[in-house]
Amino acid sequence: MTTTVPVQRTVLERFPGGRPRGSWPADEYVAAQRDQGIAARVVMDLSSSDQFLVVTVTSTQ
């Protein structure tokens, strides 16, 4: 049996998808957040904005 846990995603910051080669501001931002103890990650929002989103995920239980 599989149990589904509802999650809530919070967008901390948005970065344009078309950055110059070698420029990774979203990854740098995530690293800074992780240094502060915040479990953040980068996801790509292709469906609506073509941006990199820095998000945190928390369970809603």
Side-chain angles (χ1 to χ4, degrees), residues 3-16:
T3 304
T4 303
V5 177
V7 296
Q8 176 180 355
R9 293 185 177 131
T10 303
V11 177
L12 300 177
E13 193 65 57
R14 299 172 187 269
F15 295 91

Side-chain angles (χ1 to χ4, degrees), residues 15-16 19 23-30 54:
F15 295 91
R19 298 299 270 180
S23 175
W24 303 101
D27 292 317
E28 293 167 0
Y29 186 82
V30 164
V54 175

Side-chain angles (χ1 to χ4, degrees), residues 11-19 23-27 41-46 49-55:
V11 177
L12 300 177
E13 193 65 57
R14 299 172 187 269
F15 295 91
R19 298 299 270 180
S23 175
W24 303 101
D27 292 317
R41 64 186 180 122
V42 178
V43 297
M44 185 72 181
D45 181 16
L46 290 173
S49 66
D50 194 28
Q51 292 183 332
F52 291 106
L53 307 177
V54 175
V55 299

